[in-house]
Amino acid sequence: MILSQTPQWVNECRNQFPAFERQLNGRPVIYFDGPAGTQVPRCVADAISDYLFHRNANHGGLFATSIESDKFLHHAHQVHADFVGAKDPYEIAFGQNMTSLTFAFSRALSKTWKQGDEIVVTALDHDANITPWVMAAEEVGATVKFVNFKNFDYLLDIDHLDDLLSEKTRLIAVGCASNATGGINPVKQIAAKAKQVGAQVYLDAVHFGPHGLIDVEDWGCDYLACSNYKFFGPHLGMLWGRRELMEELSAFKVRPAEDTIPGKWMTGTQSHESIAGGTACIEYLADLGRQISGDNNLNLRDGLRAAFTGINDYEKSLSARMIECFASIAGIEVFGVTDLDRLDQRFPTFSIRHASIPPATLAKALGEEGIFVWNGNYYALEFSQRMGFEPDGMVRIGAVHYNTMEEIERLQQSLGKIVSTLA
């Protein structure tokens, strides 16, 4: 059901985000910049300061604060395992962000490749799931192949993927959702295809994280990385991998570091305070699920499931309203699914261009109206190049569950006024 009004639970959850107190020229700011990093609820900042004030210590000490810190970190691994649908908390490794983790991990995984092997990436992905694999493949003489996107709905061309797969394929690296077009990729289907040719699958769930329930066991992937700051947390990244694979691979690490998971994959002292905040943002989502469902007894994973059920239903309404908004303004072109009967194939992240107004000009004008959006290629460089949009890129307007129908109304009014003035 497509909603016409903002649900009460959305208005209530907004009270937890101090960012919504900000105003520009006497009007509330609208955060449509979420695809580059969402705002955070107060509980995230509280968790960070609580860790720093009360149990700030390095790992492995035989004294109270270190023991308490290690106990908390074990809990954090479990919470993040629940977030991705894994059973083993030590299949989770933390790092600075998805990009850094992927660069480090690609070096280790590429040591299992040889000349003539083939690596498959996509033309839709964030460059963090392209360049690390291209560079790693170059070092060992492996070949990189790109899966195309369809030029009418900008979804991944699965038929082209089929053409690329062979017994030489060693890895398919694909995003769960496009941070440029909002399109959702059929990762479970892709993982099944990979298994048919004996290949592994590395998923980038960064853009999927704030919108949908991740389920590594159901999807059948081998590795998955994402960044908490994209789903209401601090600047933190996490990498999940199947235990048997993560144990047998050789990690690039210092000699005193642990040889077991997850320590072998977490180089140096981690940002424990960021891990505390990352844990809090997941617990925020589970609490939101309990609120939406009306069941305060849900465990963490079931709370997350309920949260994303509510979020997904509401975000379809946001997508529908945003599609109507863009269609009402002359000269605006949307790159992604715009069919209201296919909203289950996209999240409310939209890349647009105007026929005569440069993206930077449009984004700056919206910013002056208190509507924060992104311009450029947002690291979806391959997509932007193939579309012929470089160096200007596009304008990206992305909603998450804390955005409202009223904010889209204001976007439509402001965008219409800007276009009528500048075009």
Side-chain angles (χ1 to χ4, degrees), residues 1-5 7 311-324 340 343 348 405 408:
M1 179 179 68
I2 304 300
L3 303 175
S4 58
Q5 295 182 331
I311 286 170
N312 193 250
D313 288 343
Y314 174 55
E315 288 188 350
K316 286 179 182 178
S317 298
L318 293 177
S319 290
R321 184 65 191 89
M322 292 174 81
I323 290 169
E324 293 172 354
L340 297 183
L343 294 177
M405 293 294 180
I408 299 175

PDB file of all heavy atoms in Angstrom, residues 1-5 7 311-324 340 343 348 405 408:
ATOM      1  N   MET A   1       0.842  -1.186   0.000  1.00  0.00           N
ATOM      2  CA  MET A   1       0.000   0.000   0.000  1.00  0.00           C
ATOM      3  C   MET A   1       0.883   1.243   0.000  1.00  0.00           C
ATOM      4  O   MET A   1       1.792   1.369   0.814  1.00  0.00           O
ATOM      5  CB  MET A   1      -0.909   0.004   1.238  1.00  0.00           C
ATOM      6  CG  MET A   1      -1.816   1.225   1.316  1.00  0.00           C
ATOM      7  SD  MET A   1      -2.905   1.190   2.769  1.00  0.00           S
ATOM      8  CE  MET A   1      -1.699   1.382   4.081  1.00  0.00           C
ATOM      9  N   ILE A   2       0.605   2.172  -0.921  1.00  0.00           N
ATOM     10  CA  ILE A   2       1.358   3.412  -1.001  1.00  0.00           C
ATOM     11  C   ILE A   2       0.717   4.433  -0.060  1.00  0.00           C
ATOM     12  O   ILE A   2      -0.458   4.771  -0.198  1.00  0.00           O
ATOM     13  CB  ILE A   2       1.395   3.953  -2.444  1.00  0.00           C
ATOM     14  CG1 ILE A   2       1.975   2.897  -3.390  1.00  0.00           C
ATOM     15  CG2 ILE A   2       2.188   5.236  -2.511  1.00  0.00           C
ATOM     16  CD1 ILE A   2       3.374   2.478  -3.049  1.00  0.00           C
ATOM     17  N   LEU A   3       1.496   4.915   0.906  1.00  0.00           N
ATOM     18  CA  LEU A   3       0.989   5.860   1.893  1.00  0.00           C
ATOM     19  C   LEU A   3       1.035   7.277   1.346  1.00  0.00           C
ATOM     20  O   LEU A   3       1.899   7.622   0.550  1.00  0.00           O
ATOM     21  CB  LEU A   3       1.811   5.781   3.166  1.00  0.00           C
ATOM     22  CG  LEU A   3       1.908   4.416   3.857  1.00  0.00           C
ATOM     23  CD1 LEU A   3       2.863   4.499   5.047  1.00  0.00           C
ATOM     24  CD2 LEU A   3       0.536   3.953   4.322  1.00  0.00           C
ATOM     25  N   SER A   4       0.099   8.118   1.799  1.00  0.00           N
ATOM     26  CA  SER A   4       0.102   9.522   1.412  1.00  0.00           C
ATOM     27  C   SER A   4       0.563  10.423   2.551  1.00  0.00           C
ATOM     28  O   SER A   4       0.844  11.591   2.339  1.00  0.00           O
ATOM     29  CB  SER A   4      -1.301   9.955   0.959  1.00  0.00           C
ATOM     30  OG  SER A   4      -2.253   9.745   1.999  1.00  0.00           O
ATOM     31  N   GLN A   5       0.644   9.859   3.752  1.00  0.00           N
ATOM     32  CA  GLN A   5       1.064  10.626   4.911  1.00  0.00           C
ATOM     33  C   GLN A   5       2.213   9.915   5.618  1.00  0.00           C
ATOM     34  O   GLN A   5       2.408   8.709   5.472  1.00  0.00           O
ATOM     35  CB  GLN A   5      -0.104  10.823   5.876  1.00  0.00           C
ATOM     36  CG  GLN A   5      -1.243  11.671   5.318  1.00  0.00           C
ATOM     37  CD  GLN A   5      -2.346  11.882   6.337  1.00  0.00           C
ATOM     38  OE1 GLN A   5      -2.561  11.053   7.205  1.00  0.00           O
ATOM     39  NE2 GLN A   5      -3.028  13.015   6.229  1.00  0.00           N
ATOM     40  N   PRO A   7       3.873   8.075   8.572  1.00  0.00           N
ATOM     41  CA  PRO A   7       3.392   7.313   9.731  1.00  0.00           C
ATOM     42  C   PRO A   7       3.860   7.943  11.046  1.00  0.00           C
ATOM     43  O   PRO A   7       4.905   8.599  11.105  1.00  0.00           O
ATOM     44  CB  PRO A   7       4.014   5.926   9.530  1.00  0.00           C
ATOM     45  CG  PRO A   7       4.419   5.867   8.100  1.00  0.00           C
ATOM     46  CD  PRO A   7       4.745   7.271   7.700  1.00  0.00           C
ATOM     47  N   ILE A 311      10.230  -0.289   7.531  1.00  0.00           N
ATOM     48  CA  ILE A 311      11.012   0.656   6.738  1.00  0.00           C
ATOM     49  C   ILE A 311      10.780   0.444   5.253  1.00  0.00           C
ATOM     50  O   ILE A 311      10.578   1.395   4.489  1.00  0.00           O
ATOM     51  CB  ILE A 311      12.509   0.528   7.088  1.00  0.00           C
ATOM     52  CG1 ILE A 311      12.786   1.142   8.458  1.00  0.00           C
ATOM     53  CG2 ILE A 311      13.386   1.185   6.021  1.00  0.00           C
ATOM     54  CD1 ILE A 311      14.176   0.862   8.996  1.00  0.00           C
ATOM     55  N   ASN A 312      10.805  -0.823   4.825  1.00  0.00           N
ATOM     56  CA  ASN A 312      10.639  -1.115   3.399  1.00  0.00           C
ATOM     57  C   ASN A 312       9.273  -0.675   2.897  1.00  0.00           C
ATOM     58  O   ASN A 312       9.158  -0.080   1.819  1.00  0.00           O
ATOM     59  CB  ASN A 312      10.850  -2.604   3.154  1.00  0.00           C
ATOM     60  CG  ASN A 312      11.010  -2.943   1.684  1.00  0.00           C
ATOM     61  OD1 ASN A 312      10.139  -3.557   1.080  1.00  0.00           O
ATOM     62  ND2 ASN A 312      12.113  -2.534   1.099  1.00  0.00           N
ATOM     63  N   ASP A 313       8.231  -0.949   3.676  1.00  0.00           N
ATOM     64  CA  ASP A 313       6.887  -0.534   3.269  1.00  0.00           C
ATOM     65  C   ASP A 313       6.796   0.986   3.152  1.00  0.00           C
ATOM     66  O   ASP A 313       6.243   1.514   2.178  1.00  0.00           O
ATOM     67  CB  ASP A 313       5.853  -1.038   4.280  1.00  0.00           C
ATOM     68  CG  ASP A 313       5.636  -2.545   4.206  1.00  0.00           C
ATOM     69  OD1 ASP A 313       6.032  -3.148   3.182  1.00  0.00           O
ATOM     70  OD2 ASP A 313       5.089  -3.110   5.166  1.00  0.00           O
ATOM     71  N   TYR A 314       7.337   1.686   4.139  1.00  0.00           N
ATOM     72  CA  TYR A 314       7.274   3.145   4.121  1.00  0.00           C
ATOM     73  C   TYR A 314       8.131   3.726   3.007  1.00  0.00           C
ATOM     74  O   TYR A 314       7.717   4.673   2.316  1.00  0.00           O
ATOM     75  CB  TYR A 314       7.715   3.696   5.481  1.00  0.00           C
ATOM     76  CG  TYR A 314       7.816   5.197   5.525  1.00  0.00           C
ATOM     77  CD1 TYR A 314       6.729   6.003   5.163  1.00  0.00           C
ATOM     78  CD2 TYR A 314       9.003   5.828   5.914  1.00  0.00           C
ATOM     79  CE1 TYR A 314       6.822   7.385   5.196  1.00  0.00           C
ATOM     80  CE2 TYR A 314       9.093   7.211   5.954  1.00  0.00           C
ATOM     81  CZ  TYR A 314       8.003   7.992   5.594  1.00  0.00           C
ATOM     82  OH  TYR A 314       8.092   9.357   5.619  1.00  0.00           O
ATOM     83  N   GLU A 315       9.308   3.170   2.786  1.00  0.00           N
ATOM     84  CA  GLU A 315      10.199   3.732   1.776  1.00  0.00           C
ATOM     85  C   GLU A 315       9.668   3.537   0.361  1.00  0.00           C
ATOM     86  O   GLU A 315      10.004   4.320  -0.541  1.00  0.00           O
ATOM     87  CB  GLU A 315      11.601   3.147   1.925  1.00  0.00           C
ATOM     88  CG  GLU A 315      12.332   3.688   3.156  1.00  0.00           C
ATOM     89  CD  GLU A 315      13.784   3.278   3.218  1.00  0.00           C
ATOM     90  OE1 GLU A 315      14.198   2.417   2.410  1.00  0.00           O
ATOM     91  OE2 GLU A 315      14.513   3.822   4.070  1.00  0.00           O
ATOM     92  N   LYS A 316       8.850   2.529   0.146  1.00  0.00           N
ATOM     93  CA  LYS A 316       8.188   2.413  -1.156  1.00  0.00           C
ATOM     94  C   LYS A 316       7.293   3.630  -1.402  1.00  0.00           C
ATOM     95  O   LYS A 316       7.217   4.143  -2.523  1.00  0.00           O
ATOM     96  CB  LYS A 316       7.375   1.124  -1.229  1.00  0.00           C
ATOM     97  CG  LYS A 316       8.214  -0.128  -1.379  1.00  0.00           C
ATOM     98  CD  LYS A 316       7.337  -1.374  -1.429  1.00  0.00           C
ATOM     99  CE  LYS A 316       8.186  -2.635  -1.522  1.00  0.00           C
ATOM    100  NZ  LYS A 316       7.335  -3.868  -1.512  1.00  0.00           N
ATOM    101  N   SER A 317       6.636   4.092  -0.340  1.00  0.00           N
ATOM    102  CA  SER A 317       5.796   5.287  -0.468  1.00  0.00           C
ATOM    103  C   SER A 317       6.647   6.518  -0.740  1.00  0.00           C
ATOM    104  O   SER A 317       6.272   7.385  -1.542  1.00  0.00           O
ATOM    105  CB  SER A 317       4.968   5.479   0.812  1.00  0.00           C
ATOM    106  OG  SER A 317       4.107   4.388   1.026  1.00  0.00           O
ATOM    107  N   LEU A 318       7.806   6.606  -0.073  1.00  0.00           N
ATOM    108  CA  LEU A 318       8.716   7.711  -0.350  1.00  0.00           C
ATOM    109  C   LEU A 318       9.184   7.675  -1.802  1.00  0.00           C
ATOM    110  O   LEU A 318       9.244   8.717  -2.475  1.00  0.00           O
ATOM    111  CB  LEU A 318       9.915   7.652   0.589  1.00  0.00           C
ATOM    112  CG  LEU A 318       9.669   7.907   2.081  1.00  0.00           C
ATOM    113  CD1 LEU A 318      10.975   7.735   2.864  1.00  0.00           C
ATOM    114  CD2 LEU A 318       9.089   9.289   2.318  1.00  0.00           C
ATOM    115  N   SER A 319       9.525   6.487  -2.287  1.00  0.00           N
ATOM    116  CA  SER A 319       9.975   6.362  -3.680  1.00  0.00           C
ATOM    117  C   SER A 319       8.886   6.808  -4.648  1.00  0.00           C
ATOM    118  O   SER A 319       9.154   7.547  -5.608  1.00  0.00           O
ATOM    119  CB  SER A 319      10.366   4.906  -3.975  1.00  0.00           C
ATOM    120  OG  SER A 319      11.543   4.537  -3.299  1.00  0.00           O
ATOM    121  N   ALA A 320       7.660   6.348  -4.389  1.00  0.00           N
ATOM    122  CA  ALA A 320       6.553   6.714  -5.274  1.00  0.00           C
ATOM    123  C   ALA A 320       6.346   8.225  -5.302  1.00  0.00           C
ATOM    124  O   ALA A 320       6.157   8.827  -6.369  1.00  0.00           O
ATOM    125  CB  ALA A 320       5.274   6.009  -4.823  1.00  0.00           C
ATOM    126  N   ARG A 321       6.407   8.836  -4.139  1.00  0.00           N
ATOM    127  CA  ARG A 321       6.192  10.283  -4.065  1.00  0.00           C
ATOM    128  C   ARG A 321       7.341  11.043  -4.737  1.00  0.00           C
ATOM    129  O   ARG A 321       7.116  12.075  -5.391  1.00  0.00           O
ATOM    130  CB  ARG A 321       6.052  10.712  -2.599  1.00  0.00           C
ATOM    131  CG  ARG A 321       5.722  12.183  -2.419  1.00  0.00           C
ATOM    132  CD  ARG A 321       4.339  12.503  -2.982  1.00  0.00           C
ATOM    133  NE  ARG A 321       4.116  13.938  -3.045  1.00  0.00           N
ATOM    134  CZ  ARG A 321       4.436  14.708  -4.083  1.00  0.00           C
ATOM    135  NH1 ARG A 321       5.014  14.177  -5.170  1.00  0.00           N
ATOM    136  NH2 ARG A 321       4.174  15.999  -4.066  1.00  0.00           N
ATOM    137  N   MET A 322       8.562  10.549  -4.600  1.00  0.00           N
ATOM    138  CA  MET A 322       9.700  11.214  -5.239  1.00  0.00           C
ATOM    139  C   MET A 322       9.633  11.072  -6.753  1.00  0.00           C
ATOM    140  O   MET A 322       9.969  12.012  -7.496  1.00  0.00           O
ATOM    141  CB  MET A 322      11.008  10.649  -4.685  1.00  0.00           C
ATOM    142  CG  MET A 322      11.232  11.026  -3.224  1.00  0.00           C
ATOM    143  SD  MET A 322      12.677  10.257  -2.463  1.00  0.00           S
ATOM    144  CE  MET A 322      13.982  11.338  -3.045  1.00  0.00           C
ATOM    145  N   ILE A 323       9.203   9.926  -7.241  1.00  0.00           N
ATOM    146  CA  ILE A 323       9.032   9.742  -8.686  1.00  0.00           C
ATOM    147  C   ILE A 323       8.006  10.728  -9.225  1.00  0.00           C
ATOM    148  O   ILE A 323       8.197  11.355 -10.284  1.00  0.00           O
ATOM    149  CB  ILE A 323       8.629   8.285  -8.994  1.00  0.00           C
ATOM    150  CG1 ILE A 323       9.819   7.343  -8.728  1.00  0.00           C
ATOM    151  CG2 ILE A 323       8.141   8.139 -10.428  1.00  0.00           C
ATOM    152  CD1 ILE A 323       9.459   5.873  -8.739  1.00  0.00           C
ATOM    153  N   GLU A 324       6.900  10.905  -8.498  1.00  0.00           N
ATOM    154  CA  GLU A 324       5.881  11.884  -8.902  1.00  0.00           C
ATOM    155  C   GLU A 324       6.449  13.300  -8.890  1.00  0.00           C
ATOM    156  O   GLU A 324       6.149  14.115  -9.780  1.00  0.00           O
ATOM    157  CB  GLU A 324       4.685  11.788  -7.963  1.00  0.00           C
ATOM    158  CG  GLU A 324       3.902  10.483  -8.077  1.00  0.00           C
ATOM    159  CD  GLU A 324       2.841  10.350  -6.998  1.00  0.00           C
ATOM    160  OE1 GLU A 324       2.797  11.233  -6.096  1.00  0.00           O
ATOM    161  OE2 GLU A 324       2.051   9.388  -7.043  1.00  0.00           O
ATOM    162  N   LEU A 340       5.898   2.604 -11.007  1.00  0.00           N
ATOM    163  CA  LEU A 340       5.343   2.482  -9.660  1.00  0.00           C
ATOM    164  C   LEU A 340       4.945   1.045  -9.326  1.00  0.00           C
ATOM    165  O   LEU A 340       4.728   0.726  -8.153  1.00  0.00           O
ATOM    166  CB  LEU A 340       4.136   3.409  -9.497  1.00  0.00           C
ATOM    167  CG  LEU A 340       4.432   4.906  -9.623  1.00  0.00           C
ATOM    168  CD1 LEU A 340       3.156   5.714  -9.378  1.00  0.00           C
ATOM    169  CD2 LEU A 340       5.532   5.341  -8.665  1.00  0.00           C
ATOM    170  N   LEU A 343       8.359  -0.933  -7.511  1.00  0.00           N
ATOM    171  CA  LEU A 343       9.066  -0.281  -6.414  1.00  0.00           C
ATOM    172  C   LEU A 343       9.849  -1.257  -5.554  1.00  0.00           C
ATOM    173  O   LEU A 343      10.754  -0.846  -4.812  1.00  0.00           O
ATOM    174  CB  LEU A 343       8.073   0.497  -5.540  1.00  0.00           C
ATOM    175  CG  LEU A 343       7.399   1.693  -6.225  1.00  0.00           C
ATOM    176  CD1 LEU A 343       6.389   2.330  -5.281  1.00  0.00           C
ATOM    177  CD2 LEU A 343       8.425   2.720  -6.681  1.00  0.00           C
ATOM    178  N   PRO A 348      14.707   4.364  -2.147  1.00  0.00           N
ATOM    179  CA  PRO A 348      14.439   5.773  -2.480  1.00  0.00           C
ATOM    180  C   PRO A 348      15.706   6.620  -2.617  1.00  0.00           C
ATOM    181  O   PRO A 348      15.877   7.649  -1.968  1.00  0.00           O
ATOM    182  CB  PRO A 348      13.557   6.236  -1.323  1.00  0.00           C
ATOM    183  CG  PRO A 348      13.955   5.388  -0.171  1.00  0.00           C
ATOM    184  CD  PRO A 348      14.277   4.055  -0.766  1.00  0.00           C
ATOM    185  N   MET A 405       7.039  12.706   4.121  1.00  0.00           N
ATOM    186  CA  MET A 405       6.303  13.129   2.932  1.00  0.00           C
ATOM    187  C   MET A 405       6.314  14.656   2.811  1.00  0.00           C
ATOM    188  O   MET A 405       6.393  15.199   1.704  1.00  0.00           O
ATOM    189  CB  MET A 405       4.858  12.626   3.007  1.00  0.00           C
ATOM    190  CG  MET A 405       4.729  11.117   2.920  1.00  0.00           C
ATOM    191  SD  MET A 405       5.223  10.491   1.304  1.00  0.00           S
ATOM    192  CE  MET A 405       4.940   8.726   1.561  1.00  0.00           C
ATOM    193  N   ILE A 408       9.353  15.882   1.101  1.00  0.00           N
ATOM    194  CA  ILE A 408       9.305  15.710  -0.358  1.00  0.00           C
ATOM    195  C   ILE A 408       8.446  16.799  -0.989  1.00  0.00           C
ATOM    196  O   ILE A 408       8.755  17.292  -2.085  1.00  0.00           O
ATOM    197  CB  ILE A 408       8.810  14.303  -0.725  1.00  0.00           C
ATOM    198  CG1 ILE A 408       9.756  13.242  -0.157  1.00  0.00           C
ATOM    199  CG2 ILE A 408       8.698  14.147  -2.241  1.00  0.00           C
ATOM    200  CD1 ILE A 408       9.301  11.820  -0.365  1.00  0.00           C
TER     201      ILE A 408
END
